[in-house]
Amino acid sequence: MTEASSAGRLPASSVSLTGRALAAKQLAALEQSTGGLIEVLSESFGHGSPFVVSVETQGIEPGPGIKVRGRERFRIWVGDQFPFGYPSVFSDHRRWAGTPHVQWGSFLCLYAAGSVEWNASDGMRGLLDRLLSWLEHAAAGTLDPDDRPLHPPSNVVSATAGRMIVHPDLADRVPWPIKAIHATEHVDSSADEAAQGIVYAWSSRDGDRFDVLEWLSIAEVADRVLSADVAGVDSRGRRLFAFPLLMIDTDLGWEYPTTAKALVDNLERAGYDRREILEQLILGVRINRVLRMSEDVVTGEVPGDDGDTDSGFLDSDPVLFGLATPSRRIDKVRLPHIVAWKIDGLGKTAVGLMRQLKGLDDPPAELAEGVDALAKKWVLESKVVWVRVHEMRPEVTRRRDDGTSGQWLRERRVLLLGAGAIGAVVAEQAARAGVRRLVVVDKGVVTPGILVRQPFYDDDIGAYKVDALAERLNRIGRHPVVEPVVGNCHGLFLDGHVGGPDGFILDVSEFDLVIDATADAGTRAVIERVRAGTTDVWPPTVTLLLGHLATRGLAVVAGLGAASSSHELLRRFVVKGASRPAWADFVADFFPDPPRTEMFFPEPGCSEPTFVGSASDVMALSSALLGYSLDALKRMEGEATVPRMRVVGARLPIAAALGESHRNGIEEMTWADDLVAHDRSSGVEVRITAEALSEMRGEVRRGARVRGPRVETGGMMLGTFDEATGTATVDLATGPPPDSRLSETYFLNGVEGTQEALDSASNSSRGLTRFLGLWHSHPYGPARPSPTDRVGVAAITSFTPGARRALMVIIGGFEELWDGWVAGTSHGPRVYVRLLEADPTALRAGAGPATGSDPIPNARDVLTPYQRMLQTPPVGAYYEGGYSGLARTDAGHAIEAGSAAPAPQAGSASGSELSGMRRVLDALRHPGER
Amino acid sequence: MSTTTSPPGMHANPSATPERGAVFWPVGTGDSTTVVISDQIVLQIDLHDLALADEDDTPEAPVVDLLAESLPQVDETPYLAAFALTHADKDHCLGFADLLEKVHIGELWATPRLWREYQMDDAPALCPDAQAFQEEAERRVAAVMAAIAKGDEVASGDRIVIIGYDTDHDKHAYAELPEEFKSGPGKTITTIDGVDCSDTFEAFIHAPFADDCASARNDTSLAMHLTITEANGASGRVLMFGDLAHETIMKVFTYSEYYERNQYLDYDVLLAPHHCSKKVMFIPDADGKDVLQKDVTDAFARHANEGAVVVCSSGPIPAQDKPRDNPPHLKAYNRYREVVDEVIVTMSWPAGDAVAPVVFVVNETGGSIVREQTVEETAELVLSKSLGHGGLPATMGRRLAVVAAAASVASAGPAGLSASATDPRDGLTQLREALSSDRGGEQAPQVPVGFGRTDGRAG
């Protein structure tokens, strides 16, 4: 049943023709509609023959390029796939042979990139249009403008001669000046005695593959093969050999000769003697014999006992002759174009015999003549077998990822945690981007289930993922870059090493990037912990996460020196994002509240829950997130003001289609650096977010305006304590509540409205930001606590419900520093941080939970008399508090408090009853001065 | 050295004035070529005097009279050193009888074909001029034999050269002629009417081939290669095939290339065989489709000298070929345009509505076509003086100038023959526009079109 078998193929009965029949129809129509300006001729009407088409070309402006007659005839070969593939066009003569974009004498390169330039719908009409444009440009000599790379000459390569990969640049060794040239300045191929030079291509071979590794002068190659420690094979067991490459400052035209005679004649015309070619070939053979002999010594293989017998092994190297001409042009510079001629059969025999003949002191005349005749016969009769050359020379190739963010990875050293759905994708992309070193850490093995979306193979099942990955990815480049480390990421960071005595020892300073692709909260926390306090040696750290249906992903980027990394930044992401519509779908996806109870267990009972997602979604998201992260790192490196901490949320377009979000694409959240201070007594690292610090400054400025610049101020801090990571983070800071009392020496933090403010912040952040402690300022003073301050904090910890510890932050700084910070012209103020744990004794002694309505009297009940004395406001000019920062709900208060504040006698109202108290305080603050 | 100064706009040639060359007369679709070898030696190849044509609507200048006037005078009679007839079709010999009457023709070049045709039962009709030619040829053969019998020198006016061999040679009187009165493929002629011109002129005979003697008349055409040489050795070359078609032309190329006689194939002017007929390079296949014969176009391309031209001795090229049309054929014309830089059609040179003779001159740098303006001005200059007197232009020697001027007069008539209106746009522009309009959609319908259901109509 042919109908069934033709599914997916073009139906034979289709009304649309294809191939030659369609082309014929289109050409006939054009012949008709153009009134004979196009004629379709034929030499034969059989199948498989070209169309012979004559085209009116009268009117093409003559120029320095090809000469176009009033009428031109072409042979157009149309394949069966027409119009989906484009036809080949040949001139019906060879008058244009040797001109740019004419190959094989008559083939016209009409399309530089047929796959984009060919329009199937326009068919033969488009082809002819293109042809006319080509002819106009070719006649004008503008086909190859000098700002474009020169199309290298074409040579017909042999399918069996093998392939050659050229790695090292050659331009610094060529005998012609490397300089900018003009399009019109053609290399004069008739030049006598063109400049020339010989180098040897130090190469390895592996089957029919030859890799040129280094260019050496004759002296260098001789030194190398004659040195005592010469190695005949490389570290992977590939045999090393060398062959001569002639560099000659002439052009062999656009098509390289196909016969040995034509090639040799061409070179002789340029002044390179054919004897010299033979000499170099013989020298090459000798070099390679030495290399093979050295190998024999090492391996103990039995060579021919005298070097002159035709030992198969000693002569097993290919005989190659390389040729470099200045036929490449990139950025107006004449660069060498490299081809290689593989000499087999008769030629190889002739070269071998000539080498042996040279070894004889007094070769018999007839033998010499015979060998000479053989060499002549070879040159006369053989074809040039051109090896297919694949260029990797940086000078003539450009990376396809040039200028992309992905290039940030080039030559970088990357530590990748996790080799699963995200990690394995990231690893491959990093390897392709050209990382110098990629250490992949994962303890998992390949299971059948993951093959659905992770780049592993059936054969890999049971193997460690990192091993399977390294084995595969190390084949991308010539040098292995992927190092597999089997182990647990927590352990790696906590212990500093995994895998026993010979295992991997971690030194993060050896890396330029850490990528956490574990999707493991524990790993994120470990990193946060290990990083804390050592951000100066930590490389940028990126965490990549996928949502539960792989429709969304998150990338968390902590740049160089960033105080916080993904563990903390994800908390902030929820704090901020929970109340923002743009982020709501991400928060719901990654941090559902209440937590998702229906988990996906691919192998129920035996596996960790994971997310559902197809290979395409998983790989697309992973790639997009990596790309974003690299772009962010590139921007951070480029500019100091780019925020170093950021979270990006990426949605697959499908997320919108599924109705999961009305928004498409990317959301981004950034944080400027935290102000980091350490509490030496507790070891806790305190991070005051830029936002909180900015709120403190706002309050200080406001206070200075309404109460006077030297009056202390302060308020509540909201944030979190994290025991796992040993950090406390200040998310928000408020101003003084309205019932506060403020003076130049005393700050009584009120309570009015604080609970409402806290509840509001906590609710909107799903409880991720909570009461953290109190801050106050010491304008123009030291960031250091007074005894009163200490008692105050103790009071907080004792009588704030559920607060078994509280953070006290004092910001201060003397004259210029303080003024600078307040004005925003210099960086942060001096900061004192102190984490105070609740005194269990005090708690026990407490009269039960405080009501919060009047904490001070309650506190006074448990304080010692001395402490009570310290907590009593000293004599002075007092102002009332008022909120800022959380002022949205209390703006009226702030204004009222401010307006009520003016006190004419501020600072001078020193009533006698208060003076005694002040003296006591002064004595306590400055005990040594009594 | 010429003492005249070049008039403005004229071809100012510091070197000696070219004496030698060839003039291709614009005589409709037909041949009339005058080769000037020296002031005294003029060779006429074929003749087509349209004045004698029975086409009422084309009153033509009398070619024979003009030619006669331009010839050197010997004993007060116009003297033509030789007349060569490629074959006896009317478009090659019309006016010969008249010419014979008015001009002293020193030597006739004839092929054996007419002798054969006179004996063929099914021979195509011969026009009166062809009959006159044959009668004259036979008279000369007899005269030559008689002179030889008497031991006399053969006189100018009686001379004849029989070119080519016929398998029935022996049946005819010309077979008895001494070798000097015979020529054929592979031979050269350098003596004209008893005058040795070998320093300046060489005609190499390519055809007719003996093998073709019984073929159609066209296939027995005389084919020649003329080399006209300047004093300094520079030469101009003209290749002419009469009305030969593909097979015989290829035979010419094959033979001469085999014998390495490329110098007798290379040309500056190729007179397009058979007035630009497609039969030169197309052969119909079994379905009647014309199949291109690339061998012959390649050969034409191979032997074209730098700057070579093809001259089509024909009426204007039709805008489109129609089946069974006589030459010229657009199909052939376009093939020549693919081979050389310039293809000249005698009846539309230099332009469709202003016809001038095609003048090929040989000077110290070789052969070239004299451009339109030069020909025109030369002719005016010549005609403004009395013919044959001094004060001639420097662009060409006296005889050549006079012949060119005569041909110019002959050209004055044919204007208007031009059939194809010349499009002012060049071919490329036209093609581009055609390709673009082939894509369609650029124009709305130009006429109202009605639609409707006939069964809805009353009636």
Side-chain angles (χ1 to χ4, degrees):
Chain A
M1 298 305 284
T2 53
E3 273 154 46
S5 66
S6 70
R9 294 172 52 194
L10 208 58
S13 61
S14 166
V15 287
S16 0
L17 297 167
T18 56
R20 212 174 179 278
L22 177 63
K25 188 177 160 191
Q26 291 183 345
L27 282 171
L30 284 171
E31 186 171 25
Q32 193 77 38
S33 69
T34 62
L37 296 171
I38 293 165
E39 274 174 283
V40 185
L41 308 165
S42 198
E43 291 160 53
S44 121
F45 290 92
H47 275 282
S49 55
F51 290 100
V52 179
V53 176
S54 168
V55 178
E56 181 67 34
T57 41
Q58 187 82 50
I60 287 183
E61 290 289 321
I66 63 167
K67 185 166 177 179
V68 180
R69 297 222 159 103
R71 194 89 184 179
E72 288 288 352
R73 207 160 69 216
F74 304 92
R75 303 168 84 78
I76 302 179
W77 293 85
V78 175
D80 292 342
Q81 280 146 26
F82 179 84
F84 310 110
Y86 57 93
S88 306
V89 179
F90 293 78
S91 60
D92 204 10
H93 52 71
R94 295 177 66 89
R95 295 202 321 268
W96 301 332
T99 63
H101 300 273
V102 176
Q103 298 189 352
W104 313 310
S106 59
F107 173 73
L108 313 184
C109 297
L110 294 190
Y111 297 96
S115 55
V116 288
E117 291 167 346
W118 168 249
N119 178 358
S121 309
D122 216 11
M124 295 306 277
R125 184 173 53 220
L127 182 83
L128 289 164
D129 219 1
R130 181 81 181 194
L131 175 60
L132 291 180
S133 300
W134 188 94
L135 289 169
E136 282 181 309
H137 282 111
T142 55
L143 267 186
D144 190 25
D146 64 357
D147 56 345
R148 291 239 208 100
L150 194 67
H151 196 301
S154 62
N155 57 336
V156 181
V157 298
S158 158
T160 54
R163 56 222 151 106
M164 174 175 295
I165 296 88
V166 183
H167 299 263
D169 280 347
L170 180 61
D172 56 347
R173 287 181 180 259
V174 297
W176 60 80
I178 296 294
K179 56 157 186 161
I181 54 164
H182 299 291
T184 50
E185 188 186 328
H186 286 295
V187 181
D188 185 2
S189 54
S190 63
D192 296 331
E193 302 296 318
Q196 47 185 260
I198 286 277
V199 282
Y200 272 76
W202 185 260
S203 312
S204 71
R205 65 183 165 94
D206 188 358
D208 65 355
R209 167 177 169 148
F210 316 119
D211 282 80
V212 177
L213 309 173
E214 264 183 279
W215 302 110
L216 300 175
S217 67
I218 293 176
E220 286 166 336
V221 77
D223 284 351
R224 184 168 298 186
V225 295
L226 297 175
S227 72
D229 56 350
V230 60
V233 293
D234 73 2
S235 59
R236 285 192 174 185
R238 292 177 286 221
R239 294 220 151 79
L240 297 169
F241 75 109
F243 66 89
L245 176 116
L246 169 65
M247 301 173 292
I248 190 155
D249 186 13
T250 182
D251 215 320
L252 300 187
W254 286 81
E255 293 153 56
Y256 276 31
T258 53
T259 64
K261 183 174 185 308
L263 176 60
V264 168
D265 286 352
N266 257 316
L267 294 177
E268 278 203 331
R269 261 199 298 283
Y272 195 75
D273 188 52
R274 68 180 66 202
R275 287 271 138 208
E276 194 54 30
I277 299 174
L278 289 170
E279 292 293 333
Q280 295 297 342
L281 287 173
I282 292 164
L283 183 56
V285 169
R286 290 176 143 182
I287 289 166
N288 295 334
R289 287 175 65 90
V290 175
L291 285 166
R292 296 293 79 78
M293 284 182 209
S294 77
E295 210 181 324
D296 288 340
V297 173
V298 177
T299 61
E301 280 181 37
V302 185
D305 52 6
D306 92 56
D308 280 334
T309 58
D310 190 359
S311 151
F313 176 67
L314 286 184
D315 284 318
S316 60
D317 290 296
V319 178
L320 294 168
F321 185 73
L323 186 62
T325 56
S327 314
R328 292 274 187 131
R329 187 182 62 222
I330 296 172
D331 298 333
K332 303 186 180 181
V333 169
R334 291 164 62 206
L335 292 167
H337 176 65
I338 295 175
V339 292
W341 171 19
K342 188 169 184 233
I343 295 159
D344 278 325
L346 193 58
K348 195 170 177 179
T349 310
V351 172
L353 288 173
M354 289 177 80
R355 179 192 61 76
Q356 291 179 38
L357 199 63
K358 278 173 109 51
L360 300 179
D361 291 335
D362 186 19
E366 67 260 42
L367 184 59
E369 279 165 23
V371 170
D372 203 44
L374 187 65
K376 281 205 178 90
K377 181 176 157 69
W378 159 54
V379 169
L380 272 176
E381 292 181 1
S382 49
K383 295 242 174 216
V384 175
V385 178
W386 293 110
V387 177
R388 186 177 291 279
V389 173
H390 297 280
E391 285 292 357
M392 281 186 74
R393 279 184 289 154
E395 65 194 9
V396 296
T397 55
R398 284 196 183 139
R399 287 186 62 91
R400 282 165 168 76
D401 60 358
D402 232 7
T404 64
S405 306
Q407 258 213 323
W408 187 90
L409 284 171
R410 270 206 83 193
E411 291 297 321
R412 304 274 182 171
R413 301 157 301 174
V414 179
L415 175 62
L416 173 64
L417 310 173
I422 304 170
V425 171
V426 167
E428 173 155 356
Q429 292 173 4
R432 294 196 185 280
V435 292
R436 177 137 54 99
R437 183 182 183 209
L438 177 66
V439 174
V440 190
V441 186
D442 194 301
K443 67 179 192 312
V445 296
V446 178
T447 62
I450 66 167
L451 301 182
V452 168
R453 64 186 183 201
Q454 296 185 25
F456 297 99
Y457 304 100
D458 184 74
D459 278 356
D460 298 332
I461 292 171
Y464 285 113
K465 286 181 175 183
V466 287
D467 289 339
L469 207 54
E471 198 276 322
R472 181 168 70 88
L473 299 185
N474 278 334
R475 286 188 277 140
I476 290 174
R478 188 169 169 81
H479 303 290
V481 294
V482 181
E483 295 169 40
V485 172
V486 176
N488 174 305
C489 294
H490 304 177
L492 174 64
F493 286 103
L494 295 175
D495 306 337
H497 62 87
V498 285
D502 299 325
F504 173 72
I505 296 168
L506 178 67
D507 176 357
V508 287
S509 67
E510 287 178 353
F511 294 91
D512 303 306
L513 176 66
V514 175
I515 301 176
D516 164 25
T518 58
D520 174 39
T523 301
R524 293 198 290 276
V526 168
I527 292 174
E528 193 77 41
R529 167 113 192 205
V530 177
R531 254 182 115 256
T534 59
T535 51
D536 52 334
V537 295
W538 262 80
T541 303
V542 168
T543 294
L544 306 176
L545 295 170
L546 300 184
H548 77 293
L549 293 174
T551 52
R552 291 182 202 79
L554 288 177
V556 187
V557 181
L560 197 64
S564 299
S565 60
S566 59
H567 172 82
E568 162 60 18
L569 294 178
L570 284 170
R571 187 193 62 83
R572 293 187 197 178
F573 151 76
V574 179
V575 168
K576 246 183 165 178
S579 58
R580 295 191 186 184
W583 286 92
D585 59 319
F586 286 99
V587 174
D589 190 348
F590 288 87
F591 302 97
D593 182 29
R596 215 166 268 118
T597 49
E598 283 183 25
M599 305 288 232
F600 173 61
F601 294 92
E603 289 89 25
C606 302
S607 65
E608 293 276 299
T610 181
F611 56 91
V612 177
S614 68
S616 59
D617 291 349
V618 166
M619 291 184 183
L621 268 177
S622 302
S623 304
L625 293 170
L626 176 67
Y628 165 81
S629 306
L630 296 173
D631 183 60
L633 291 170
K634 186 178 163 189
R635 280 185 284 141
M636 286 176 198
E637 272 188 359
E639 211 180 320
T641 56
V642 173
R644 255 126 244 279
M645 301 187 292
R646 52 181 67 216
V647 172
V648 71
R651 298 180 187 93
L652 283 184
I654 191 75
L658 294 173
E660 293 178 5
S661 170
H662 298 301
R663 297 170 64 94
N664 262 324
I666 295 279
E667 308 291 347
E668 192 174 18
M669 208 181 267
T670 64
W671 294 272
D673 282 350
D674 301 338
L675 191 154
V676 177
H678 291 93
D679 174 12
R680 293 212 176 82
S681 62
S682 64
V684 165
E685 178 177 297
V686 177
R687 301 172 186 169
I688 304 172
T689 64
E691 193 177 350
L693 191 62
S694 150
E695 282 161 351
M696 290 176 187
R697 186 169 63 181
E699 170 53 29
V700 166
R701 282 175 179 170
R702 196 181 67 89
R705 200 168 62 243
V706 302
R707 296 185 283 261
R710 293 190 173 268
V711 177
E712 294 186 3
T713 186
M716 188 166 57
M717 295 184 297
L718 279 63
T720 192
F721 292 106
D722 190 327
E723 289 179 343
T725 61
T727 59
T729 303
V730 182
D731 292 330
L732 296 168
T734 73
D739 59 340
S740 300
R741 295 292 177 269
L742 304 89
S743 77
E744 291 191 5
T745 55
Y746 192 82
F747 169 63
L748 176 76
N749 190 58
V751 298
E752 192 182 319
T754 51
Q755 191 59 49
E756 289 81 354
L758 179 61
D759 289 348
S760 161
S762 181
N763 286 340
S764 72
S765 70
R766 300 233 200 113
L768 289 173
T769 187
R770 298 163 185 275
F771 177 76
L772 193 63
L774 296 175
W775 71 279
H776 71 277
S777 64
H778 288 175
Y780 306 104
R784 202 165 62 212
S786 65
T788 310
D789 294 338
R790 292 177 205 278
V791 175
V793 174
I796 302 164
T797 56
S798 304
F799 301 102
T800 306
R804 62 178 174 83
R805 66 206 149 175
L807 183 67
M808 177 173 68
V809 169
I810 300 169
I811 54 173
F814 291 101
E815 309 299 328
E816 281 150 31
L817 185 81
W818 184 257
D819 280 340
W821 174 65
V822 173
T825 54
S826 68
H827 281 296
R830 295 262 185 258
V831 177
Y832 171 86
V833 297
R834 181 69 195 270
L835 183 72
L836 288 155
E837 300 283 337
D839 178 353
T841 335
L843 277 175
R844 262 200 309 281
T851 60
S853 57
D854 187 12
I856 301 297
N858 280 336
R860 280 179 183 159
D861 293 342
V862 295
L863 295 179
T864 62
Y866 173 61
Q867 285 174 327
R868 274 205 294 277
M869 186 269 286
L870 286 180
Q871 281 289 294
T872 307
V875 176
Y878 282 84
Y879 298 85
E880 293 181 347
Y883 282 127
S884 78
L886 293 174
R888 276 187 213 97
T889 54
D890 294 73
H893 261 289
I895 293 161
E896 192 187 311
S899 58
Q905 303 98 344
S908 60
S910 49
S912 58
E913 53 194 316
L914 291 176
S915 61
M917 187 70 89
R918 170 165 281 178
R919 281 198 301 278
V920 175
L921 278 171
D922 283 347
L924 284 167
R925 279 175 183 167
H926 308 285
E929 291 172 21
R930 284 289 303 252
Chain B
M1 188 169 159
S2 173
T3 52
T4 55
T5 51
S6 303
M10 290 187 66
H11 180 204
N13 186 353
S15 63
T17 310
E19 294 285 339
R20 284 164 277 273
V23 176
F24 301 88
W25 296 57
V27 289
T29 299
D31 273 308
S32 193
T33 307
T34 307
V35 181
V36 176
I37 296 158
S38 72
D39 193 57
Q40 291 301 306
I41 304 293
V42 176
L43 165 66
Q44 178 69 24
I45 302 164
D46 291 343
L47 184 64
H48 191 219
D49 190 345
L50 277 176
L52 302 174
D54 41 12
E55 290 150 37
D56 302 334
D57 54 337
T58 56
E60 303 299 341
V63 171
V64 168
D65 292 347
L66 285 166
L67 176 61
E69 258 191 274
S70 68
L71 291 172
Q73 299 281 315
V74 173
D75 298 335
E76 294 178 7
T77 307
Y79 168 61
L80 180 65
F83 181 89
L85 183 64
T86 60
H87 63 294
D89 280 347
K90 191 173 156 189
D91 53 346
H92 292 256
C93 66
L94 188 62
F96 179 78
D98 194 24
L99 183 74
L100 190 61
E101 200 173 293
K102 291 172 177 165
V103 168
H104 174 82
I105 301 173
E107 186 170 88
L108 273 196
W109 293 6
T111 63
R113 174 66 179 194
L114 281 174
W115 277 272
R116 169 179 281 266
E117 280 196 20
Y118 267 74
Q119 295 187 343
M120 281 162 67
D121 296 333
D122 55 348
L126 276 176
C127 67
D129 286 299
Q131 289 171 21
F133 183 87
Q134 181 61 11
E135 280 161 24
E136 175 63 9
E138 288 182 15
R139 183 192 71 73
R140 289 184 182 223
V141 169
V144 170
M145 298 304 293
I148 289 168
K150 278 194 255 172
D152 287 352
E153 181 86 351
V154 178
S156 172
D158 285 343
R159 288 180 178 276
I160 187 163
V161 181
I162 302 294
I163 302 175
Y165 307 94
D166 197 305
T167 46
D168 63 359
H169 229 94
D170 298 344
K171 299 178 189 166
H172 303 293
Y174 63 75
E176 307 300 324
L177 290 173
E179 279 308 302
E180 62 170 309
F181 299 97
K182 289 193 257 186
S183 186
K187 296 190 175 170
T188 61
I189 299 174
T190 55
T191 300
I192 299 176
D193 196 22
V195 178
D196 177 11
C197 301
S198 56
D199 287 348
T200 53
F201 177 80
E202 181 179 22
F204 180 85
I205 307 301
H206 282 299
F209 293 107
D211 289 351
D212 297 319
C213 63
S215 304
R217 190 188 287 159
N218 280 347
D219 296 334
T220 65
S221 286
L222 170 62
M224 292 189 287
H225 178 274
L226 310 182
T227 307
I228 302 165
T229 307
E230 245 308 305
N232 75 338
S235 60
R237 294 153 192 279
V238 180
L239 183 58
M240 47 211 326
F241 289 98
D243 282 2
L244 291 179
H246 175 262
E247 187 186 351
T248 318
I249 294 170
M250 271 324 290
K251 209 186 286 180
V252 165
F253 279 115
T254 310
Y255 282 14
S256 289
E257 284 179 359
Y258 177 79
Y259 290 111
E260 298 186 349
R261 290 174 184 147
N262 282 331
Q263 75 273 25
Y264 295 133
L265 294 171
D266 295 345
Y267 62 87
D268 298 309
V269 174
L270 169 69
L271 184 60
H274 199 189
H275 324 291
C276 199
S277 165
K278 66 179 182 180
K279 288 184 178 171
V280 170
M281 68 290 278
F282 288 97
I283 295 176
D285 68 3
D287 302 330
K289 283 185 189 162
D290 285 328
V291 177
L292 178 67
Q293 306 300 307
K294 196 166 181 286
D295 54 357
V296 74
T297 58
D298 281 352
F300 287 144
R302 199 157 58 234
H303 292 288
N305 287 336
E306 181 72 32
V309 300
V310 171
V311 173
C312 302
S313 53
S314 73
I317 305 299
Q320 207 181 342
D321 291 330
K322 294 188 194 73
R324 286 177 297 284
D325 264 0
N326 283 324
H329 296 125
L330 176 61
K331 238 178 178 170
Y333 171 72
N334 280 339
R335 299 297 79 71
Y336 293 123
R337 293 177 65 212
E338 289 160 1
V339 164
V340 294
D341 295 338
E342 189 170 29
V343 181
I344 293 170
V345 179
T346 53
M347 291 310 285
S348 46
W349 161 265
D353 52 358
V355 177
V358 180
V359 181
F360 173 71
V361 298
V362 179
N363 62 23
E364 289 173 335
T365 56
S368 59
I369 297 292
V370 180
R371 294 292 123 182
E372 165 203 0
Q373 201 182 19
T374 313
V375 173
E376 228 169 67
E377 287 172 11
T378 301
E380 274 171 27
L381 203 59
V382 168
L383 297 170
S384 70
K385 321 239 172 209
S386 53
L387 287 179
H389 287 79
L392 285 164
T395 47
M396 49 187 92
R398 183 176 70 159
R399 188 59 56 205
L400 200 51
V402 170
V403 172
S408 292
V409 174
S411 315
L417 266 183
S418 166
S420 56
T422 334
D423 195 313
R425 302 168 305 163
D426 64 46
L428 183 72
T429 311
Q430 291 180 53
L431 178 51
R432 273 251 154 78
E433 284 171 13
L435 285 175
S436 172
S437 70
D438 190 69
R439 288 191 174 95
E442 283 179 5
Q443 287 192 324
Q446 302 288 301
V447 291
V449 182
F451 300 93
R453 289 184 298 174
T454 49
D455 59 355
R457 296 265 175 99

